[in-house]
Amino acid sequence: MKEQLMAMRRVFGDRLAQVNTRAELEALRVEFLGKKGQLTTILKQMGKLSAEERPVMGQLANEVRELLESSLANHSEQINALEIAQRLKAEKIDITIPGKKYKLGHKHPLSIVLDEVKEIFLGMGFSIATGPEVELDYYNFEALNIPKNHPSRDTQDTFYITENILLRTQTSPVQIRVMEKQAPPIRIISPGRVYRSDAVDATHSPLFNQVEGLVVDKGITMGDLKGCLEAFAKRLYGEDTKIRLRPHHFQFTEPSCEIDVSCFRCGGKGCPMCKGEGWIEILGAGMVHPKVLKNGGIDPDVYSGFAFGLGLERLTMFRFQIDDLRLLYENDQKFLNQF
Ligand code: PHE
């Protein structure tokens, strides 16, 4: 039995030397020290020993067990150290590797100009309102004093979803929606996409952007309209900018006008940019028609207001001297990277 124990110790030592992983180590432990392991098998022969031999063998067997256990513990620590070393090696960060360069995007020219417009009006105490692009005929036309079959609908042909639901042709329906919800004083701008059934060319697109403006309060006059939009034009194009109001017609304002700014390129002398005119049209405006106030639930005998609508593409094209509207939608990097 002594020989068996010694042999087992030797075999165990050889086997342990080949163990590299925790799982292998555990398997070895079970094989030698487990309930059905080699040591137990050897100890089963104790019964055959004489009374004198038994304690001697018992002690030897214990010594061997302790030796095996401490060897296992030792080896387990070695495996730990090995694993830590491997992890440190695997997770090592090479700070000399060149970094990845992430290209930062930037704003589209339309967004650059829209942000400027918003900032100017927010600075004058306006807030921003929104409305749906898929709109009811009522809000887009009817409530704005453009009845069915009115000739002014011809210039704003659009895409119909049903007879009474369409893609809005202008941001003006937001005027009505705001008045329905909010009591005066009202001071809002409303930027957004609008649609018209136009063929694409250098100055037309079936989809474009407008910014609507609406001010309603007691005692609002044409003077407020002019002062407000002059301040806007000067902030956008520079302090020397002049504005000119030309009489015009819109169904939902009375009186109505178009507003020109003095050409910011030639200062009004006439150049290719302003087509020799010295002036550039930037928006439509007017005093809110009493019928429109009434349709918005506001008493025209108590309140008055002005409204305006500007075309964002037009404004952007002048601002950056872009001569073809299509460039704004084609997303050509060679074009966009210039901004
Ligand atoms: N909605 C008009 C258009 O699209 C512009 C406008 C808005 C005119 C508000 C007057 C007042 O042409």
Side-chain angles (χ1 to χ4, degrees), residues 2 13 15 17 55 60 86 107 115 122 142 167 170 197 209-210 220 225 229 240 259 264 298 301 309 336 338-339:
K2 186 178 171 185
R15 294 276 305 279
L60 184 66
Q86 279 171 347
K107 282 193 240 170
D115 285 351
L122 289 176
E142 208 82 31
L167 296 185
Q170 47 189 350
S197 177
N209 290 270
Q210 288 188 335
I220 297 289
L225 180 159
L229 294 173
D240 297 335
I259 294 189
F264 28 84
I298 291 174
D301 293 329
L336 291 177
Q338 299 173 47
F339 298 92

mmCIF file of all heavy atoms in Angstrom, residues 2 13 15 17 55 60 86 107 115 122 142 167 170 197 209-210 220 225 229 240 259 264 298 301 309 336 338-339:
data_model
loop_
_atom_site.group_PDB
_atom_site.id
_atom_site.type_symbol
_atom_site.label_atom_id
_atom_site.label_comp_id
_atom_site.label_asym_id
_atom_site.label_seq_id
_atom_site.Cartn_x
_atom_site.Cartn_y
_atom_site.Cartn_z
ATOM 1 N N LYS A 2 1.974 1.162 0.694
ATOM 2 C CA LYS A 2 2.891 2.284 0.705
ATOM 3 C C LYS A 2 3.385 2.576 -0.711
ATOM 4 O O LYS A 2 3.415 3.726 -1.159
ATOM 5 C CB LYS A 2 4.073 1.987 1.614
ATOM 6 C CG LYS A 2 4.992 3.168 1.795
ATOM 7 C CD LYS A 2 6.135 2.863 2.749
ATOM 8 C CE LYS A 2 7.145 3.989 2.713
ATOM 9 N NZ LYS A 2 8.322 3.667 3.536
ATOM 10 N N GLY A 13 2.261 13.995 -9.671
ATOM 11 C CA GLY A 13 3.245 15.060 -9.955
ATOM 12 C C GLY A 13 3.465 15.235 -11.450
ATOM 13 O O GLY A 13 3.456 16.356 -11.968
ATOM 14 N N ARG A 15 1.415 14.345 -13.887
ATOM 15 C CA ARG A 15 0.190 14.868 -14.530
ATOM 16 C C ARG A 15 -0.005 16.343 -14.251
ATOM 17 O O ARG A 15 -0.369 17.125 -15.131
ATOM 18 C CB ARG A 15 -1.022 14.083 -14.031
ATOM 19 C CG ARG A 15 -1.021 12.597 -14.454
ATOM 20 C CD ARG A 15 -1.593 12.422 -15.843
ATOM 21 N NE ARG A 15 -2.929 12.990 -15.954
ATOM 22 C CZ ARG A 15 -4.037 12.369 -15.539
ATOM 23 N NH1 ARG A 15 -3.956 11.152 -15.035
ATOM 24 N NH2 ARG A 15 -5.207 12.950 -15.657
ATOM 25 N N ALA A 17 2.128 18.595 -13.785
ATOM 26 C CA ALA A 17 3.073 19.421 -14.553
ATOM 27 C C ALA A 17 2.510 19.769 -15.934
ATOM 28 O O ALA A 17 2.896 20.765 -16.534
ATOM 29 C CB ALA A 17 4.396 18.693 -14.690
ATOM 30 N N PRO A 55 -2.337 2.747 11.723
ATOM 31 C CA PRO A 55 -2.075 4.168 11.984
ATOM 32 C C PRO A 55 -0.899 4.706 11.154
ATOM 33 O O PRO A 55 -0.928 5.864 10.714
ATOM 34 C CB PRO A 55 -1.736 4.221 13.465
ATOM 35 C CG PRO A 55 -1.633 2.828 13.943
ATOM 36 C CD PRO A 55 -2.149 1.896 12.907
ATOM 37 N N LEU A 60 0.569 8.235 6.699
ATOM 38 C CA LEU A 60 1.209 8.418 5.390
ATOM 39 C C LEU A 60 0.181 8.914 4.362
ATOM 40 O O LEU A 60 0.429 9.837 3.596
ATOM 41 C CB LEU A 60 1.834 7.089 4.925
ATOM 42 C CG LEU A 60 2.622 7.172 3.617
ATOM 43 C CD1 LEU A 60 3.863 8.040 3.791
ATOM 44 C CD2 LEU A 60 3.013 5.774 3.131
ATOM 45 N N GLN A 86 -1.791 36.935 -19.363
ATOM 46 C CA GLN A 86 -2.350 36.865 -20.724
ATOM 47 C C GLN A 86 -3.334 38.003 -20.981
ATOM 48 O O GLN A 86 -3.344 38.585 -22.050
ATOM 49 C CB GLN A 86 -3.052 35.520 -20.935
ATOM 50 C CG GLN A 86 -2.065 34.423 -21.276
ATOM 51 C CD GLN A 86 -2.708 33.046 -21.262
ATOM 52 O OE1 GLN A 86 -3.827 32.882 -20.764
ATOM 53 N NE2 GLN A 86 -2.010 32.061 -21.797
ATOM 54 N N LYS A 107 -23.740 72.168 -41.392
ATOM 55 C CA LYS A 107 -25.110 72.524 -41.780
ATOM 56 C C LYS A 107 -25.256 72.738 -43.285
ATOM 57 O O LYS A 107 -24.362 73.254 -43.941
ATOM 58 C CB LYS A 107 -25.512 73.809 -41.054
ATOM 59 C CG LYS A 107 -25.894 73.586 -39.617
ATOM 60 C CD LYS A 107 -26.577 74.832 -39.084
ATOM 61 C CE LYS A 107 -25.816 75.388 -37.913
ATOM 62 N NZ LYS A 107 -26.310 76.708 -37.517
ATOM 63 N N ASP A 115 -31.493 79.141 -39.760
ATOM 64 C CA ASP A 115 -31.079 79.413 -38.373
ATOM 65 C C ASP A 115 -30.871 80.909 -38.137
ATOM 66 O O ASP A 115 -31.201 81.437 -37.081
ATOM 67 C CB ASP A 115 -29.811 78.632 -38.028
ATOM 68 C CG ASP A 115 -30.112 77.150 -37.802
ATOM 69 O OD1 ASP A 115 -31.316 76.800 -37.753
ATOM 70 O OD2 ASP A 115 -29.172 76.353 -37.679
ATOM 71 N N LEU A 122 -36.495 85.382 -33.228
ATOM 72 C CA LEU A 122 -36.556 85.032 -31.806
ATOM 73 C C LEU A 122 -36.061 86.218 -30.981
ATOM 74 O O LEU A 122 -36.588 86.518 -29.909
ATOM 75 C CB LEU A 122 -35.721 83.781 -31.506
ATOM 76 C CG LEU A 122 -36.284 82.464 -32.051
ATOM 77 C CD1 LEU A 122 -35.332 81.307 -31.787
ATOM 78 C CD2 LEU A 122 -37.650 82.151 -31.452
ATOM 79 N N GLU A 142 -59.496 77.890 -48.075
ATOM 80 C CA GLU A 142 -60.804 78.421 -47.678
ATOM 81 C C GLU A 142 -60.714 79.483 -46.577
ATOM 82 O O GLU A 142 -61.180 80.607 -46.735
ATOM 83 C CB GLU A 142 -61.669 77.246 -47.197
ATOM 84 C CG GLU A 142 -63.156 77.451 -47.386
ATOM 85 C CD GLU A 142 -63.631 77.135 -48.809
ATOM 86 O OE1 GLU A 142 -63.035 76.248 -49.469
ATOM 87 O OE2 GLU A 142 -64.588 77.774 -49.241
ATOM 88 N N LEU A 167 -51.318 68.586 -50.159
ATOM 89 C CA LEU A 167 -50.027 69.037 -49.643
ATOM 90 C C LEU A 167 -50.068 70.559 -49.657
ATOM 91 O O LEU A 167 -50.360 71.164 -50.686
ATOM 92 C CB LEU A 167 -48.883 68.517 -50.511
ATOM 93 C CG LEU A 167 -48.722 66.994 -50.548
ATOM 94 C CD1 LEU A 167 -47.473 66.600 -51.333
ATOM 95 C CD2 LEU A 167 -48.648 66.411 -49.131
ATOM 96 N N GLN A 170 -48.408 76.606 -49.129
ATOM 97 C CA GLN A 170 -47.816 77.762 -48.452
ATOM 98 C C GLN A 170 -47.852 77.491 -46.948
ATOM 99 O O GLN A 170 -48.560 76.588 -46.494
ATOM 100 C CB GLN A 170 -48.628 79.027 -48.779
ATOM 101 C CG GLN A 170 -50.139 78.835 -48.631
ATOM 102 C CD GLN A 170 -50.954 80.003 -49.154
ATOM 103 O OE1 GLN A 170 -50.393 81.049 -49.460
ATOM 104 N NE2 GLN A 170 -52.260 79.840 -49.248
ATOM 105 N N SER A 197 -47.358 72.057 -57.727
ATOM 106 C CA SER A 197 -47.234 71.194 -58.890
ATOM 107 C C SER A 197 -46.460 71.911 -59.995
ATOM 108 O O SER A 197 -46.996 72.243 -61.046
ATOM 109 C CB SER A 197 -48.646 70.810 -59.343
ATOM 110 O OG SER A 197 -48.585 70.046 -60.490
ATOM 111 N N ASN A 209 -39.222 75.597 -49.348
ATOM 112 C CA ASN A 209 -39.425 75.984 -47.952
ATOM 113 C C ASN A 209 -39.840 77.445 -47.822
ATOM 114 O O ASN A 209 -39.316 78.306 -48.523
ATOM 115 C CB ASN A 209 -38.127 75.793 -47.158
ATOM 116 C CG ASN A 209 -37.799 74.338 -46.974
ATOM 117 O OD1 ASN A 209 -38.206 73.724 -45.993
ATOM 118 N ND2 ASN A 209 -37.069 73.757 -47.924
ATOM 119 N N GLN A 210 -40.788 77.674 -46.939
ATOM 120 C CA GLN A 210 -41.179 79.044 -46.633
ATOM 121 C C GLN A 210 -41.020 79.308 -45.139
ATOM 122 O O GLN A 210 -40.955 78.369 -44.341
ATOM 123 C CB GLN A 210 -42.642 79.278 -46.991
ATOM 124 C CG GLN A 210 -42.920 79.341 -48.482
ATOM 125 C CD GLN A 210 -44.352 79.767 -48.789
ATOM 126 O OE1 GLN A 210 -45.250 79.573 -47.973
ATOM 127 N NE2 GLN A 210 -44.560 80.329 -49.964
ATOM 128 N N ILE A 220 -52.051 97.144 -34.146
ATOM 129 C CA ILE A 220 -50.944 96.852 -35.082
ATOM 130 C C ILE A 220 -51.235 97.535 -36.422
ATOM 131 O O ILE A 220 -52.354 97.460 -36.934
ATOM 132 C CB ILE A 220 -50.798 95.334 -35.300
ATOM 133 C CG1 ILE A 220 -50.437 94.626 -33.990
ATOM 134 C CG2 ILE A 220 -49.760 95.031 -36.378
ATOM 135 C CD1 ILE A 220 -49.040 94.874 -33.487
ATOM 136 N N LEU A 225 -45.458 96.592 -39.494
ATOM 137 C CA LEU A 225 -45.011 95.649 -40.524
ATOM 138 C C LEU A 225 -43.693 96.127 -41.126
ATOM 139 O O LEU A 225 -42.709 95.392 -41.178
ATOM 140 C CB LEU A 225 -46.090 95.547 -41.609
ATOM 141 C CG LEU A 225 -45.881 94.625 -42.823
ATOM 142 C CD1 LEU A 225 -47.234 94.309 -43.442
ATOM 143 C CD2 LEU A 225 -44.965 95.203 -43.874
ATOM 144 N N LEU A 229 -39.981 94.337 -40.584
ATOM 145 C CA LEU A 229 -39.312 93.674 -41.699
ATOM 146 C C LEU A 229 -38.065 94.435 -42.153
ATOM 147 O O LEU A 229 -37.118 93.844 -42.681
ATOM 148 C CB LEU A 229 -40.299 93.444 -42.840
ATOM 149 C CG LEU A 229 -41.396 92.442 -42.421
ATOM 150 C CD1 LEU A 229 -42.480 92.341 -43.472
ATOM 151 C CD2 LEU A 229 -40.805 91.051 -42.124
ATOM 152 N N ASP A 240 -26.737 98.761 -43.944
ATOM 153 C CA ASP A 240 -26.977 99.719 -45.033
ATOM 154 C C ASP A 240 -28.165 99.323 -45.913
ATOM 155 O O ASP A 240 -28.550 100.073 -46.821
ATOM 156 C CB ASP A 240 -25.730 99.807 -45.939
ATOM 157 C CG ASP A 240 -24.536 100.344 -45.161
ATOM 158 O OD1 ASP A 240 -24.765 101.061 -44.161
ATOM 159 O OD2 ASP A 240 -23.389 100.019 -45.545
ATOM 160 N N ILE A 259 -42.032 92.913 -50.630
ATOM 161 C CA ILE A 259 -40.929 93.704 -50.090
ATOM 162 C C ILE A 259 -39.636 93.358 -50.812
ATOM 163 O O ILE A 259 -39.286 92.188 -50.965
ATOM 164 C CB ILE A 259 -40.795 93.488 -48.565
ATOM 165 C CG1 ILE A 259 -42.054 94.063 -47.888
ATOM 166 C CG2 ILE A 259 -39.534 94.159 -48.035
ATOM 167 C CD1 ILE A 259 -41.989 94.115 -46.388
ATOM 168 N N PHE A 264 -27.686 93.624 -52.211
ATOM 169 C CA PHE A 264 -26.565 93.615 -51.266
ATOM 170 C C PHE A 264 -25.241 93.412 -51.976
ATOM 171 O O PHE A 264 -24.187 93.461 -51.378
ATOM 172 C CB PHE A 264 -26.759 92.515 -50.208
ATOM 173 C CG PHE A 264 -27.571 91.372 -50.706
ATOM 174 C CD1 PHE A 264 -26.990 90.354 -51.417
ATOM 175 C CD2 PHE A 264 -28.957 91.367 -50.495
ATOM 176 C CE1 PHE A 264 -27.761 89.316 -51.903
ATOM 177 C CE2 PHE A 264 -29.730 90.334 -50.988
ATOM 178 C CZ PHE A 264 -29.140 89.294 -51.690
ATOM 179 N N ILE A 298 -60.746 85.568 -34.080
ATOM 180 C CA ILE A 298 -60.303 86.818 -33.470
ATOM 181 C C ILE A 298 -61.161 87.971 -33.995
ATOM 182 O O ILE A 298 -61.439 88.055 -35.194
ATOM 183 C CB ILE A 298 -58.803 87.054 -33.776
ATOM 184 C CG1 ILE A 298 -57.965 86.016 -33.006
ATOM 185 C CG2 ILE A 298 -58.371 88.474 -33.403
ATOM 186 C CD1 ILE A 298 -56.492 86.046 -33.319
ATOM 187 N N ASP A 301 -62.583 93.889 -35.054
ATOM 188 C CA ASP A 301 -62.855 95.249 -34.570
ATOM 189 C C ASP A 301 -61.971 95.600 -33.371
ATOM 190 O O ASP A 301 -61.816 96.765 -33.018
ATOM 191 C CB ASP A 301 -64.335 95.387 -34.175
ATOM 192 C CG ASP A 301 -65.236 95.290 -35.404
ATOM 193 O OD1 ASP A 301 -64.773 95.706 -36.500
ATOM 194 O OD2 ASP A 301 -66.361 94.773 -35.276
ATOM 195 N N GLY A 309 -44.615 86.164 -45.667
ATOM 196 C CA GLY A 309 -44.145 84.838 -46.041
ATOM 197 C C GLY A 309 -42.919 84.997 -46.910
ATOM 198 O O GLY A 309 -42.933 85.780 -47.870
ATOM 199 N N LEU A 336 -21.762 71.056 -51.516
ATOM 200 C CA LEU A 336 -22.059 71.252 -50.086
ATOM 201 C C LEU A 336 -20.811 71.570 -49.265
ATOM 202 O O LEU A 336 -20.875 72.313 -48.289
ATOM 203 C CB LEU A 336 -22.737 69.994 -49.518
ATOM 204 C CG LEU A 336 -24.153 69.731 -50.033
ATOM 205 C CD1 LEU A 336 -24.695 68.440 -49.459
ATOM 206 C CD2 LEU A 336 -25.091 70.889 -49.670
ATOM 207 N N GLN A 338 -18.578 73.491 -49.793
ATOM 208 C CA GLN A 338 -18.174 74.893 -49.850
ATOM 209 C C GLN A 338 -18.766 75.737 -48.722
ATOM 210 O O GLN A 338 -18.412 76.903 -48.569
ATOM 211 C CB GLN A 338 -18.591 75.501 -51.191
ATOM 212 C CG GLN A 338 -17.954 74.831 -52.377
ATOM 213 C CD GLN A 338 -18.526 75.347 -53.686
ATOM 214 O OE1 GLN A 338 -18.648 76.546 -53.879
ATOM 215 N NE2 GLN A 338 -18.889 74.433 -54.554
ATOM 216 N N PHE A 339 -19.662 75.132 -47.931
ATOM 217 C CA PHE A 339 -20.315 75.966 -46.909
ATOM 218 C C PHE A 339 -19.792 75.696 -45.511
ATOM 219 O O PHE A 339 -19.362 74.620 -45.209
ATOM 220 C CB PHE A 339 -21.823 75.730 -46.971
ATOM 221 C CG PHE A 339 -22.396 76.143 -48.295
ATOM 222 C CD1 PHE A 339 -22.518 75.232 -49.317
ATOM 223 C CD2 PHE A 339 -22.729 77.468 -48.520
ATOM 224 C CE1 PHE A 339 -22.980 75.617 -50.556
ATOM 225 C CE2 PHE A 339 -23.202 77.863 -49.753
ATOM 226 C CZ PHE A 339 -23.336 76.928 -50.789
#
